[in-house]
Amino acid sequence: MKLFSSVYDVPNVKALVDEALQLKQNPYSYQHLGKNKTMALVFLNPSLRTRMSTQKAALNLGMNVMVLNMDKEGWALELRDNVIMNGNSVEHIREAAAVMGQYADIIGVRSFPGLKIREEDYNEMIFNKFVQFCGVPVVSLESATRHPLQSLADLVTIEELKTRERPKVVLTWAPHVKSLPQAVPNSFAEWMCKADVDFVITHPKGYELCTDFTNGATIINNQDEALADADFIYVKNWSAYEPYGKIFPGNGDWMLTNEKLKGTNNAKVMHCLPVRRDLELSSEILDGASSIVVHEAANRVWAAQAVLKRMLEKLSD
Ligand code: CP
């Protein structure tokens, strides 16, 4: 594997999930793979889980790790071609990415969307330029439209905790006060549509996701109806795809509560975190027995480790 940016970079999703679960049992069995290899984690936006879990995964594989908070510590990047750089940007992404590729064997990049110009975000301009110019394998640490390491960890968690062969998984929109990216729900939908699950998406009208990501999902606007008999409920806010990046007033009653879990199959509640308590998800759920959000975050290590292992194996081919 030379690129991990979406589910389409994975030839066999089930095998990768199984590998992550095996690594969870034996975290240090492949330390030889990463000996004298360096991972660079480049953040253009904040992170807790992705930063720490990917760093831990790389260390478990014997790699050295460098972290660059590009937004705070790096030079201001120019992304456009054919411009005279007489404004605020100091360094072009062409040189910056190429230089990083000289220092690292694998690069991870986090770059959020601007949520202003849809075409720019959905063309993955920043992430793709890193891939184009760095010359080494690249892992997405969340891009404008996808968060594949999160989605892999989510699928690992579902596989690990499911109580019936083909569980019902529901992605439900949740309230928020800010305009948030569609990357997590897009990505979760894309991975669930490839998994052996019954997958339902529920959201208020107006929050339809791009259909490129939801092909194969059942979409129901009535949340109670969607949640019926669910085994897993994935809670997440996102802004509108059309009009792009907008949020609409109201819908506070979409926050998941214990009352809403009554018609489910003893559903386990997931969230990628960070989560705003009692806005996006109720404290009674987060503090109760149905929440598996911390378990899910812990599985980020094994998801990242499975991906990095595949990349290191490719490097030593
Ligand atoms: N879920 C997730 O990606 O968390 P961070 O933004 O803290 O990395």
Side-chain angles (χ1 to χ4, degrees):
M1 191 187 287
K2 283 187 167 167
L3 176 67
F4 184 72
S5 63
S6 84
V7 74
Y8 298 105
D9 297 317
V10 181
N12 184 336
V13 172
K14 171 93 176 63
L16 191 62
V17 168
D18 289 346
E19 183 143 43
L21 288 169
Q22 281 158 20
L23 288 164
K24 186 169 184 171
Q25 299 308 314
N26 294 294
Y28 310 114
S29 329
Y30 295 95
Q31 290 230 317
H32 59 283
L33 279 177
K35 188 171 177 349
N36 298 330
K37 296 279 188 290
T38 300
M39 169 109 218
L41 298 172
V42 181
F43 288 90
L44 281 73
N45 306 96
S47 169
L48 186 161
R49 281 143 290 272
T50 307
R51 173 192 308 265
M52 296 182 77
S53 61
T54 312
Q55 183 160 3
K56 173 122 175 99
L59 292 171
N60 285 352
L61 289 165
M63 300 185 81
N64 299 306
V65 184
M66 299 185 295
V67 181
L68 176 61
N69 298 310
M70 194 73 197
D71 52 336
K72 298 181 188 72
E73 300 159 359
W75 298 111
L77 280 184
E78 179 58 62
L79 304 168
R80 300 164 300 169
D81 280 327
N82 304 316
V83 291
I84 297 168
M85 287 171 53
N86 58 1
N88 290 332
S89 55
V90 178
E91 176 158 38
H92 203 281
I93 193 166
R94 286 175 176 261
E95 286 80 45
V99 168
M100 289 179 203
Q102 299 297 307
Y103 303 147
D105 299 282
I106 301 174
I107 295 181
V109 179
R110 166 165 282 199
S111 61
F112 286 173
L115 286 179
K116 290 194 168 55
I117 304 168
R118 189 169 78 187
E119 290 64 36
E120 220 169 75
D121 290 344
Y122 273 70
N123 284 337
E124 292 287 6
M125 193 173 79
I126 301 176
F127 183 79
N128 285 341
K129 282 186 191 279
F130 265 99
V131 174
Q132 185 181 357
F133 298 122
C134 76
V136 296
V138 178
V139 181
S140 167
L141 303 177
E142 186 171 343
S143 67
T145 65
R146 290 180 171 97
H147 195 354
L149 284 178
Q150 178 69 54
S151 307
L152 174 57
D154 297 335
L155 185 51
V156 166
T157 306
I158 289 168
E159 191 60 34
E160 192 184 22
L161 300 181
K162 69 183 184 185
T163 54
R164 52 179 163 179
E165 197 50 38
R166 191 176 165 87
K168 178 176 175 182
V169 178
V170 180
L171 166 63
T172 182
W173 184 91
H176 208 283
V177 286
K178 285 180 69 182
S179 174
L180 296 193
Q182 295 120 29
V184 169
N186 279 347
S187 198
F188 186 73
E190 198 168 61
W191 283 72
M192 287 305 119
C193 288
K194 290 238 172 231
D196 192 14
V197 302
D198 288 326
F199 181 50
V200 175
I201 302 174
T202 186
H203 57 72
K205 287 194 174 140
Y207 289 101
E208 290 75 18
L209 292 165
C210 172
T211 52
D212 292 353
F213 299 88
T214 59
N215 211 349
T218 302
I219 299 168
I220 300 173
N221 292 125
N222 181 316
Q223 191 188 37
D224 289 336
E225 190 187 323
L227 295 178
D229 202 33
D231 296 284
F232 294 91
I233 304 172
Y234 199 92
V235 178
K236 185 73 184 86
N237 170 269
W238 62 89
S239 61
Y241 179 68
E242 176 70 61
Y244 187 59
K246 297 291 176 235
I247 52 175
F248 311 111
N251 300 311
D253 57 345
W254 275 70
M255 185 183 75
L256 203 66
T257 57
N258 279 338
E259 181 65 26
K260 292 190 186 204
L261 296 185
K262 283 185 177 162
T264 69
N265 185 30
N266 204 15
K268 296 173 179 64
V269 178
M270 305 175 73
H271 189 290
C272 64
L273 304 180
V275 66
R276 290 191 183 219
R277 280 175 169 250
D278 296 315
L279 172 72
E280 223 182 332
L281 186 50
S282 60
S283 294
E284 64 179 13
I285 288 190
L286 282 164
D287 297 332
S290 53
S291 172
I292 54 168
V293 299
V294 173
H295 187 104
E296 177 187 359
N299 279 341
R300 293 288 308 272
V301 175
W302 319 115
Q305 198 167 329
V307 169
L308 295 181
K309 175 176 175 282
R310 293 278 173 98
M311 288 191 162
L312 288 168
E313 285 165 346
K314 187 79 186 163
L315 282 178
S316 58
D317 267 1

